[in-house]
Amino acid sequence: MKPKAWSNEATRRLTQGQSVYVKDAVEAWIPAVVVEEADSRLTVTVQLADDSIVTRKSSEVLARSEETELFTCSSLTELNPVNEASALDCLHQRFSHDIFYTAAGTTIVAVNPFKDVHHLYNQHKIQDYHRPLQTLDPHIFMIGEKAYAHMLREMGNINQSIVVSGESGAGKTVSAKHLLKYLTIVSSPENEINLECSIPASVIERRVLDSNPILESFGNAATPRNENSSRFGKFIQLQFHRNGFILGGVIQTYLLEKTRVVHQGPGENNFHIFYQLMSLGDMDQVPSWLVAVRAEVQHSGLDCTVPQQAETLSVLQTVEAMSDIGVSTSQQVSIFKILLAILHLSTMKFISIKDGEACTFSDTEVSSRTKEECCRLLGISALSLHHALLNRKIVTGTKAHQSVYVKPVTVAEAQSRRDSLAMLLYSRIFDWLVNFINTQIKADTFDHCINLLDIYGFETFEINNLEQLCINYANERLQQHYVTHFLRDLQ
């Protein structure tokens, strides 16, 4: 129920030129201005920021606060009254003044600045928020420091957890990276922050931070709402000595959006690593061990077009991070060959035979070359691929008396098997990388831990698969968790 101040009765009294918030097509509140004085309880005509005129139901309109200096309010719990309109207005005003963090009880609300604000996260800023001597403005580092300090002082539960949640494009991935960087730097075994060096000296700290660009390349993709959207959930456990020094970490991932490998909706891209790989074909200079991979790309016959928004990291940055984490050059070459094989596999075509009851590979020259390249890169025979995609086994009977029948598949079934194989190969690469990273950063023993949950954002597509349903359900539960804590802080 809305507060009385924002009821239909109040909406009916809106006047021309009054500032309001209205719901857009994705149920988000956006600023607008009343065009015509509302003379009905049912609808209100408003002008949006793009000058378009729309009509909204009164239930989809909130009057903005008349307070002109809400940007000075650093905590939403200090607003009077506390309601949706006043909170939105406060965040909007603070954003307009380049203030992107606002407290909300024990939580921090972060608004994506959509511009370069590196000065908010430099080493001096980290020093300011580590064991501060005075009250500071809300900041993502404040959450990191609170978790670290509580762990050291054994306040409440020794082990701490930080949840990063929000809509797709809200800045969760970047916020999680800043938290990770803060916690690894302040827990440096050297006891002090070296302002001369932007990267901690400890090898384990470097490896923990190097896991970010690797997982980002293999697990992130561009969507219509976010150029660098995490398409998997990530749970990081940072492991500490009882004195507060970082000892290692463990990464758990879940709900990798494997379907993106074989299908991308309008305005969407595949995972970044595929475009990074294809960009090798246009590079003049690469490390000597990558020359063979570049030659594979150039002679693959695959489309080398790299979308502009896909260029978040270069392939050289990704391979540098993999090298730093300990992945050998031969292992990286194998990974790139499998990725190329996945691309070849995804383009395979089939034709129907025997009145549609069976199928075979398309007999065009391009299709034949694609099949040969896929088999060569995967190190398998053409016969093995034929059996895997064009036939299915039916096992009957008991273990002692089993009978195995081989049945040809239709074109639709072959396409499904092709896509399943491509998704399986990619998910195995992703899982292997996560497991390898864990072997490099995991501590044998530790005393305390700080857990960081970075769940990818709520998003609704024209066609939502089971993965997206699980993602949205998890986000709804996290939102309930946040609301519970926020309301408790108001008491």
Side-chain angles (χ1 to χ4, degrees):
M1 180 181 294
K2 289 190 179 73
K4 185 176 180 180
W6 317 114
S7 64
N8 284 344
E9 183 64 27
T11 302
R12 189 172 66 87
R13 294 194 299 269
L14 291 175
T15 58
Q16 184 177 3
Q18 184 172 350
S19 296
V20 294
Y21 285 104
V22 298
K23 280 188 177 181
D24 65 4
V26 293
E27 297 294 306
W29 292 99
I30 57 176
V33 176
V34 176
V35 174
E36 297 179 1
E37 184 172 343
D39 57 0
S40 169
R41 292 172 178 262
L42 300 178
T43 62
V44 180
T45 303
V46 298
Q47 182 178 17
L48 304 181
D50 61 1
D51 295 331
S52 60
I53 306 297
V54 298
T55 300
R56 289 286 186 267
K57 297 177 182 178
S58 59
S59 59
E60 298 176 339
V61 179
L62 290 177
R64 292 178 61 176
S65 170
E66 296 180 359
E67 175 62 56
T68 57
E69 295 186 354
L70 284 180
F71 70 90
T72 61
C73 184
S74 61
S75 176
L76 297 180
T77 59
E78 298 173 359
L79 294 173
N80 187 18
V82 179
N83 52 51
E84 198 167 16
S86 60
L88 286 170
D89 218 9
C90 177
L91 295 174
H92 184 268
Q93 288 192 29
R94 289 174 68 81
F95 178 84
S96 300
H97 286 77
D98 285 346
I99 306 173
F100 308 112
Y101 292 106
T102 306
T106 57
T107 64
I108 293 289
V109 178
V111 181
N112 193 335
F114 293 104
K115 63 180 179 181
D116 183 9
V117 287
H118 285 315
H119 65 281
L120 292 179
Y121 311 106
N122 57 31
Q123 297 288 349
H124 292 282
K125 201 62 119 174
I126 292 175
Q127 188 180 48
D128 289 341
Y129 280 86
H130 183 46
R131 298 171 184 169
L133 300 178
Q134 58 186 0
T135 302
L136 298 172
D137 293 330
H139 196 285
I140 191 71
F141 291 161
M142 188 178 288
I143 293 292
E145 177 61 25
K146 185 180 294 185
Y148 184 68
H150 282 196
M151 181 191 71
L152 288 180
R153 298 169 190 163
E154 301 186 7
M155 296 176 63
N157 294 322
I158 297 176
N159 297 331
Q160 305 291 309
S161 293
I162 302 174
V163 178
V164 183
S165 70
E167 284 189 311
S168 180
K172 297 179 300 303
T173 298
V174 174
S175 294
K177 285 195 290 188
H178 289 316
L179 282 168
L180 195 61
K181 178 182 177 181
Y182 180 86
L183 290 169
T184 53
I185 289 179
V186 300
S187 59
S188 169
E190 300 158 346
N191 293 321
E192 294 183 3
I193 300 173
N194 181 5
L195 295 177
E196 301 296 326
C197 180
S198 61
I199 299 176
S202 169
V203 174
I204 191 62
E205 293 168 17
R206 175 65 182 264
R207 287 179 174 175
V208 169
L209 294 176
D210 278 335
S211 68
N212 269 321
I214 300 172
L215 295 179
E216 190 171 306
S217 294
F218 283 84
N220 288 24
T223 69
R225 298 181 61 184
N226 187 359
E227 295 179 357
N228 189 31
S229 177
S230 297
R231 307 318 301 164
F232 69 104
K234 180 170 58 179
F235 181 83
I236 305 174
Q237 181 188 73
L238 294 178
Q239 301 161 335
F240 297 88
H241 185 270
R242 61 179 177 274
N243 290 333
F245 302 149
I246 188 168
L247 298 175
V250 173
I251 299 173
Q252 297 180 34
T253 62
Y254 53 93
L255 291 177
L256 175 68
E257 193 183 36
K258 300 184 290 291
T259 53
R260 184 170 291 270
V261 175
V262 295
H263 174 73
Q264 303 91 44
E268 297 188 9
N269 290 342
N270 209 329
F271 290 103
H272 292 325
I273 189 63
F274 288 109
Y275 303 107
Q276 293 177 12
L277 172 60
M278 299 311 294
S279 69
L280 276 174
D282 298 325
M283 290 186 177
D284 295 327
Q285 294 183 340
V286 296
S288 57
W289 63 271
L290 268 179
V291 171
V293 178
R294 181 181 63 181
E296 292 278 8
V297 172
Q298 290 173 336
H299 295 92
S300 66
L302 296 167
D303 183 7
C304 295
T305 304
V306 181
Q308 184 69 30
Q309 64 267 33
E311 299 176 2
T312 53
L313 287 173
S314 74
V315 65
L316 298 182
Q317 289 174 301
T318 301
V319 298
E320 180 183 2
M322 286 197 285
S323 298
D324 289 342
I325 208 75
V327 183
S328 67
T329 55
S330 62
Q331 289 171 325
Q332 292 183 53
V333 169
S334 296
I335 289 172
F336 287 132
K337 284 185 176 180
I338 296 173
L339 291 175
L340 271 174
I342 291 173
L343 291 176
H344 281 294
L345 181 62
S346 301
T347 61
M348 284 186 182
K349 306 297 182 183
F350 308 95
I351 56 175
S352 179
I353 58 176
K354 296 182 180 179
D355 297 328
E357 295 182 0
C359 68
T360 187
F361 294 104
S362 175
D363 55 2
T364 63
E365 182 179 348
V366 173
S367 181
S368 298
R369 185 169 181 269
T370 296
K371 183 177 67 173
E372 292 173 1
E373 287 295 299
C374 181
C375 292
R376 182 181 63 81
L377 291 167
L378 292 177
I380 61 176
S381 66
L383 184 61
S384 297
L385 187 64
H386 183 282
H387 285 315
L389 298 183
L390 304 184
N391 298 288
R392 63 187 179 97
K393 291 182 179 180
I394 302 174
V395 181
T396 62
T398 62
K399 289 186 177 180
H401 304 282
Q402 278 189 351
S403 298
V404 179
Y405 301 92
V406 177
K407 183 180 184 300
V409 299
T410 64
V411 170
E413 290 172 330
Q415 291 171 342
S416 178
R417 295 170 76 85
R418 173 201 64 193
D419 292 347
S420 297
L421 179 58
M423 291 188 289
L424 177 64
L425 287 171
Y426 191 78
S427 64
R428 290 292 174 86
I429 291 177
F430 188 80
D431 292 341
W432 184 89
L433 280 170
V434 173
N435 290 332
F436 185 91
I437 291 170
N438 285 337
T439 61
Q440 300 298 303
I441 66 176
K442 183 179 180 181
D444 295 330
T445 60
F446 62 95
D447 299 304
H448 311 313
C449 67
I450 295 179
N451 304 309
L452 178 61
L453 175 64
D454 174 18
I455 182 167
Y456 56 135
F458 183 92
E459 199 155 356
T460 302
F461 299 103
E462 188 172 331
I463 299 177
N464 295 288
N465 52 35
L466 178 61
E467 293 166 332
Q468 194 63 42
L469 173 65
C470 294
I471 296 161
N472 291 346
Y473 176 75
N475 273 286
E476 290 290 350
R477 294 301 300 268
L478 284 175
Q479 185 65 20
Q480 291 177 13
H481 179 76
Y482 160 75
V483 171
T484 300
H485 281 267
F486 179 66
L487 293 177
R488 184 191 62 188
D489 292 333
L490 289 175
Q491 297 176 353

